[in-house]
Structure formats: structure tokens, C-alpha cells
Amino acid sequence: MELFIWVGIPVILIFLVAGMYNNLVAARQNCNQGWADIDAALRQRHDLVPNLVETVKGYATHESSTLTAVIAARAGALDANSPDQLEKAEKVLSGALGNLMAVAENYPDLKASANFQTLQGELADIEDKLGASRRAFNAAVATYNTAIQSFPSNIVAGMFNFPERTYFELDRNERSTVSAVPKVGFN
């Protein structure tokens, strides 16, 4: 019995710590995968932006400040080196793209262009994918953060330096746009 106490209990503790460590690693990897999915959707959007700008440029030549802002915002997003920088740059790009779409509303020929409609559809599809990726990433972050804060895995997380992750959140401007109730009217 004494042998079990001196050998068995430490072996059981080692297996418990190893299991908790492996669960934390799996949760961290889910966060990394979620971020990679966001990154893939953002790259698709970045690749689409030059075609969209060129199409608008053909119809709206005197809207150069809007087009320049979109190009600059895309460059800023491509140059981002960290998730925090990328999140900020993407918010700027989203705003610039919103302005570009607002400009397009003033040009009926542009809105009727098959090329523009195709690009606008692709952008909407990418935005949907990006939204789904954000939700999946935030769910993975919630699971991970819960695991590193829950007892007894918080002890293992502290021993092996598992830092808390931040959510990919909308800023106030995006929140108000997203949560705005659409108005429906019949003429």
C-alpha cells in the first residue's frame, strides 16, 4: 500500500497534468485554426479589392479620393504584422469599402455593369465567410479562455504559460451598422 502511495499517486498526477496540458494545447490550436480561417477570408477580400477599384474607376473617374482611400486601406491591411494590427487595418478597409459601395450608388451605369455586380456578389460572399470565421474564432477563444481560467487546468495553464486570447470584435461603427434594423418600404 505504501508503494502505491509513493508511486501510484505521482503517476496519476502526471497523467492528469498531461491530459490537462493536451486539452489546453488542443484549445489553443483551435484558436490558431480559427485565426487562419479569418486570414484566408481576408486574403480573398484583399485579392478582390483591386478588381473592384478598377471597375469603379472606369465609371467614377472623379471619385479619386474614395478610390485612393480603398487602395491605402488595403495596403495597410496587407502590411499588418500582428492580429491586433490586422484587426485595426481591416476595420479601416471595411469602412473604405463601405464608402466605395456608397459611391457606386451614385452611378447607375456602374450598378448595372455585369462586372461590378459579379464583384459585388463575390465581396458579399467573402464577407459572409469572414463573419462565419469570426464567429468560429470567437467560439474557440471562449473555449480556450474558459479552459485556462477553470480549476484545476488554470494551474497547468499558469505553469506552462498559456496566455489569454482576445476576441475578434467589431468596433462601435461596425456594431451600429450591423445592428441597425433595416427599413422596409413599398412605393
Side-chain angles (χ1 to χ4, degrees), residues 29-46:
Q29 287 306 102
N30 285 340
C31 291
N32 293 342
Q33 178 61 48
W35 186 257
D37 291 345
I38 289 173
D39 190 49
L42 292 176
R43 288 184 192 281
Q44 286 179 324
R45 183 165 74 168
H46 297 162

PDB file of all heavy atoms in Angstrom, residues 29-46:
ATOM      1  N   GLN A  29      -4.815  25.342 -30.363  1.00  0.00           N
ATOM      2  CA  GLN A  29      -4.757  25.047 -31.792  1.00  0.00           C
ATOM      3  C   GLN A  29      -6.073  25.388 -32.480  1.00  0.00           C
ATOM      4  O   GLN A  29      -6.075  25.830 -33.631  1.00  0.00           O
ATOM      5  CB  GLN A  29      -4.385  23.588 -32.036  1.00  0.00           C
ATOM      6  CG  GLN A  29      -2.915  23.281 -31.755  1.00  0.00           C
ATOM      7  CD  GLN A  29      -1.982  24.200 -32.515  1.00  0.00           C
ATOM      8  OE1 GLN A  29      -1.428  25.141 -31.967  1.00  0.00           O
ATOM      9  NE2 GLN A  29      -1.825  23.954 -33.794  1.00  0.00           N
ATOM     10  N   ASN A  30      -7.186  25.177 -31.813  1.00  0.00           N
ATOM     11  CA  ASN A  30      -8.484  25.574 -32.374  1.00  0.00           C
ATOM     12  C   ASN A  30      -8.543  27.084 -32.583  1.00  0.00           C
ATOM     13  O   ASN A  30      -9.092  27.557 -33.580  1.00  0.00           O
ATOM     14  CB  ASN A  30      -9.629  25.101 -31.486  1.00  0.00           C
ATOM     15  CG  ASN A  30      -9.886  23.620 -31.605  1.00  0.00           C
ATOM     16  OD1 ASN A  30      -9.501  22.981 -32.575  1.00  0.00           O
ATOM     17  ND2 ASN A  30     -10.520  23.053 -30.602  1.00  0.00           N
ATOM     18  N   CYS A  31      -7.975  27.834 -31.652  1.00  0.00           N
ATOM     19  CA  CYS A  31      -7.900  29.291 -31.812  1.00  0.00           C
ATOM     20  C   CYS A  31      -7.033  29.642 -33.015  1.00  0.00           C
ATOM     21  O   CYS A  31      -7.404  30.504 -33.832  1.00  0.00           O
ATOM     22  CB  CYS A  31      -7.321  29.953 -30.559  1.00  0.00           C
ATOM     23  SG  CYS A  31      -8.389  29.899 -29.121  1.00  0.00           S
ATOM     24  N   ASN A  32      -5.886  28.986 -33.127  1.00  0.00           N
ATOM     25  CA  ASN A  32      -4.987  29.243 -34.257  1.00  0.00           C
ATOM     26  C   ASN A  32      -5.669  28.910 -35.586  1.00  0.00           C
ATOM     27  O   ASN A  32      -5.520  29.637 -36.567  1.00  0.00           O
ATOM     28  CB  ASN A  32      -3.690  28.455 -34.110  1.00  0.00           C
ATOM     29  CG  ASN A  32      -2.854  28.942 -32.943  1.00  0.00           C
ATOM     30  OD1 ASN A  32      -3.038  30.053 -32.441  1.00  0.00           O
ATOM     31  ND2 ASN A  32      -1.948  28.111 -32.484  1.00  0.00           N
ATOM     32  N   GLN A  33      -6.410  27.801 -35.620  1.00  0.00           N
ATOM     33  CA  GLN A  33      -7.124  27.425 -36.839  1.00  0.00           C
ATOM     34  C   GLN A  33      -8.207  28.449 -37.159  1.00  0.00           C
ATOM     35  O   GLN A  33      -8.385  28.828 -38.311  1.00  0.00           O
ATOM     36  CB  GLN A  33      -7.753  26.034 -36.695  1.00  0.00           C
ATOM     37  CG  GLN A  33      -8.561  25.600 -37.910  1.00  0.00           C
ATOM     38  CD  GLN A  33      -7.743  25.502 -39.166  1.00  0.00           C
ATOM     39  OE1 GLN A  33      -6.674  24.906 -39.155  1.00  0.00           O
ATOM     40  NE2 GLN A  33      -8.215  26.090 -40.247  1.00  0.00           N
ATOM     41  N   GLY A  34      -8.910  28.912 -36.148  1.00  0.00           N
ATOM     42  CA  GLY A  34      -9.927  29.940 -36.366  1.00  0.00           C
ATOM     43  C   GLY A  34      -9.326  31.206 -36.930  1.00  0.00           C
ATOM     44  O   GLY A  34      -9.889  31.831 -37.833  1.00  0.00           O
ATOM     45  N   TRP A  35      -8.156  31.595 -36.412  1.00  0.00           N
ATOM     46  CA  TRP A  35      -7.493  32.796 -36.921  1.00  0.00           C
ATOM     47  C   TRP A  35      -7.032  32.571 -38.362  1.00  0.00           C
ATOM     48  O   TRP A  35      -7.135  33.468 -39.206  1.00  0.00           O
ATOM     49  CB  TRP A  35      -6.317  33.208 -36.040  1.00  0.00           C
ATOM     50  CG  TRP A  35      -5.772  34.506 -36.522  1.00  0.00           C
ATOM     51  CD1 TRP A  35      -4.650  34.720 -37.251  1.00  0.00           C
ATOM     52  CD2 TRP A  35      -6.384  35.787 -36.375  1.00  0.00           C
ATOM     53  NE1 TRP A  35      -4.525  36.047 -37.563  1.00  0.00           N
ATOM     54  CE2 TRP A  35      -5.573  36.724 -37.030  1.00  0.00           C
ATOM     55  CE3 TRP A  35      -7.552  36.224 -35.750  1.00  0.00           C
ATOM     56  CZ2 TRP A  35      -5.881  38.074 -37.082  1.00  0.00           C
ATOM     57  CZ3 TRP A  35      -7.846  37.577 -35.798  1.00  0.00           C
ATOM     58  CH2 TRP A  35      -7.016  38.485 -36.458  1.00  0.00           C
ATOM     59  N   ALA A  36      -6.561  31.369 -38.676  1.00  0.00           N
ATOM     60  CA  ALA A  36      -6.140  31.063 -40.045  1.00  0.00           C
ATOM     61  C   ALA A  36      -7.323  31.158 -41.008  1.00  0.00           C
ATOM     62  O   ALA A  36      -7.171  31.612 -42.153  1.00  0.00           O
ATOM     63  CB  ALA A  36      -5.505  29.675 -40.105  1.00  0.00           C
ATOM     64  N   ASP A  37      -8.509  30.745 -40.570  1.00  0.00           N
ATOM     65  CA  ASP A  37      -9.704  30.853 -41.405  1.00  0.00           C
ATOM     66  C   ASP A  37     -10.062  32.318 -41.657  1.00  0.00           C
ATOM     67  O   ASP A  37     -10.443  32.689 -42.773  1.00  0.00           O
ATOM     68  CB  ASP A  37     -10.884  30.125 -40.758  1.00  0.00           C
ATOM     69  CG  ASP A  37     -10.705  28.615 -40.743  1.00  0.00           C
ATOM     70  OD1 ASP A  37      -9.824  28.094 -41.461  1.00  0.00           O
ATOM     71  OD2 ASP A  37     -11.449  27.953 -39.985  1.00  0.00           O
ATOM     72  N   ILE A  38      -9.934  33.144 -40.632  1.00  0.00           N
ATOM     73  CA  ILE A  38     -10.165  34.581 -40.803  1.00  0.00           C
ATOM     74  C   ILE A  38      -9.152  35.138 -41.793  1.00  0.00           C
ATOM     75  O   ILE A  38      -9.501  35.891 -42.710  1.00  0.00           O
ATOM     76  CB  ILE A  38     -10.080  35.329 -39.457  1.00  0.00           C
ATOM     77  CG1 ILE A  38     -11.292  34.999 -38.591  1.00  0.00           C
ATOM     78  CG2 ILE A  38      -9.968  36.840 -39.667  1.00  0.00           C
ATOM     79  CD1 ILE A  38     -11.207  35.549 -37.175  1.00  0.00           C
ATOM     80  N   ASP A  39      -7.904  34.761 -41.630  1.00  0.00           N
ATOM     81  CA  ASP A  39      -6.838  35.238 -42.507  1.00  0.00           C
ATOM     82  C   ASP A  39      -7.099  34.845 -43.960  1.00  0.00           C
ATOM     83  O   ASP A  39      -6.902  35.652 -44.871  1.00  0.00           O
ATOM     84  CB  ASP A  39      -5.485  34.691 -42.031  1.00  0.00           C
ATOM     85  CG  ASP A  39      -4.317  35.334 -42.743  1.00  0.00           C
ATOM     86  OD1 ASP A  39      -4.287  36.585 -42.830  1.00  0.00           O
ATOM     87  OD2 ASP A  39      -3.433  34.587 -43.214  1.00  0.00           O
ATOM     88  N   ALA A  40      -7.570  33.625 -44.188  1.00  0.00           N
ATOM     89  CA  ALA A  40      -7.861  33.178 -45.552  1.00  0.00           C
ATOM     90  C   ALA A  40      -8.981  34.019 -46.179  1.00  0.00           C
ATOM     91  O   ALA A  40      -8.885  34.424 -47.342  1.00  0.00           O
ATOM     92  CB  ALA A  40      -8.243  31.699 -45.552  1.00  0.00           C
ATOM     93  N   ALA A  41     -10.034  34.294 -45.409  1.00  0.00           N
ATOM     94  CA  ALA A  41     -11.132  35.121 -45.926  1.00  0.00           C
ATOM     95  C   ALA A  41     -10.654  36.548 -46.193  1.00  0.00           C
ATOM     96  O   ALA A  41     -11.043  37.166 -47.198  1.00  0.00           O
ATOM     97  CB  ALA A  41     -12.304  35.117 -44.946  1.00  0.00           C
ATOM     98  N   LEU A  42      -9.795  37.065 -45.327  1.00  0.00           N
ATOM     99  CA  LEU A  42      -9.270  38.417 -45.530  1.00  0.00           C
ATOM    100  C   LEU A  42      -8.395  38.473 -46.776  1.00  0.00           C
ATOM    101  O   LEU A  42      -8.451  39.445 -47.534  1.00  0.00           O
ATOM    102  CB  LEU A  42      -8.479  38.872 -44.304  1.00  0.00           C
ATOM    103  CG  LEU A  42      -9.302  39.100 -43.043  1.00  0.00           C
ATOM    104  CD1 LEU A  42      -8.394  39.439 -41.870  1.00  0.00           C
ATOM    105  CD2 LEU A  42     -10.352  40.179 -43.249  1.00  0.00           C
ATOM    106  N   ARG A  43      -7.611  37.441 -47.010  1.00  0.00           N
ATOM    107  CA  ARG A  43      -6.774  37.408 -48.226  1.00  0.00           C
ATOM    108  C   ARG A  43      -7.647  37.391 -49.488  1.00  0.00           C
ATOM    109  O   ARG A  43      -7.316  38.051 -50.471  1.00  0.00           O
ATOM    110  CB  ARG A  43      -5.836  36.218 -48.205  1.00  0.00           C
ATOM    111  CG  ARG A  43      -4.721  36.379 -47.206  1.00  0.00           C
ATOM    112  CD  ARG A  43      -3.727  35.218 -47.259  1.00  0.00           C
ATOM    113  NE  ARG A  43      -2.839  35.257 -46.127  1.00  0.00           N
ATOM    114  CZ  ARG A  43      -1.784  36.058 -46.022  1.00  0.00           C
ATOM    115  NH1 ARG A  43      -1.497  36.883 -47.000  1.00  0.00           N
ATOM    116  NH2 ARG A  43      -1.025  36.028 -44.945  1.00  0.00           N
ATOM    117  N   GLN A  44      -8.751  36.655 -49.448  1.00  0.00           N
ATOM    118  CA  GLN A  44      -9.669  36.648 -50.592  1.00  0.00           C
ATOM    119  C   GLN A  44     -10.220  38.055 -50.821  1.00  0.00           C
ATOM    120  O   GLN A  44     -10.320  38.508 -51.965  1.00  0.00           O
ATOM    121  CB  GLN A  44     -10.832  35.686 -50.353  1.00  0.00           C
ATOM    122  CG  GLN A  44     -10.464  34.236 -50.468  1.00  0.00           C
ATOM    123  CD  GLN A  44     -11.663  33.338 -50.191  1.00  0.00           C
ATOM    124  OE1 GLN A  44     -12.506  33.643 -49.344  1.00  0.00           O
ATOM    125  NE2 GLN A  44     -11.735  32.232 -50.901  1.00  0.00           N
ATOM    126  N   ARG A  45     -10.571  38.718 -49.739  1.00  0.00           N
ATOM    127  CA  ARG A  45     -11.095  40.076 -49.865  1.00  0.00           C
ATOM    128  C   ARG A  45     -10.018  41.005 -50.408  1.00  0.00           C
ATOM    129  O   ARG A  45     -10.287  41.826 -51.284  1.00  0.00           O
ATOM    130  CB  ARG A  45     -11.615  40.576 -48.514  1.00  0.00           C
ATOM    131  CG  ARG A  45     -12.226  41.961 -48.622  1.00  0.00           C
ATOM    132  CD  ARG A  45     -13.052  42.335 -47.442  1.00  0.00           C
ATOM    133  NE  ARG A  45     -12.246  42.646 -46.285  1.00  0.00           N
ATOM    134  CZ  ARG A  45     -12.722  43.226 -45.192  1.00  0.00           C
ATOM    135  NH1 ARG A  45     -13.988  43.534 -45.104  1.00  0.00           N
ATOM    136  NH2 ARG A  45     -11.934  43.484 -44.180  1.00  0.00           N
ATOM    137  N   HIS A  46      -8.791  40.862 -49.911  1.00  0.00           N
ATOM    138  CA  HIS A  46      -7.689  41.706 -50.392  1.00  0.00           C
ATOM    139  C   HIS A  46      -7.454  41.493 -51.884  1.00  0.00           C
ATOM    140  O   HIS A  46      -7.140  42.443 -52.611  1.00  0.00           O
ATOM    141  CB  HIS A  46      -6.397  41.407 -49.635  1.00  0.00           C
ATOM    142  CG  HIS A  46      -6.480  41.707 -48.177  1.00  0.00           C
ATOM    143  ND1 HIS A  46      -5.596  41.185 -47.269  1.00  0.00           N
ATOM    144  CD2 HIS A  46      -7.346  42.470 -47.456  1.00  0.00           C
ATOM    145  CE1 HIS A  46      -5.911  41.606 -46.056  1.00  0.00           C
ATOM    146  NE2 HIS A  46      -6.966  42.378 -46.146  1.00  0.00           N
TER     147      HIS A  46
END
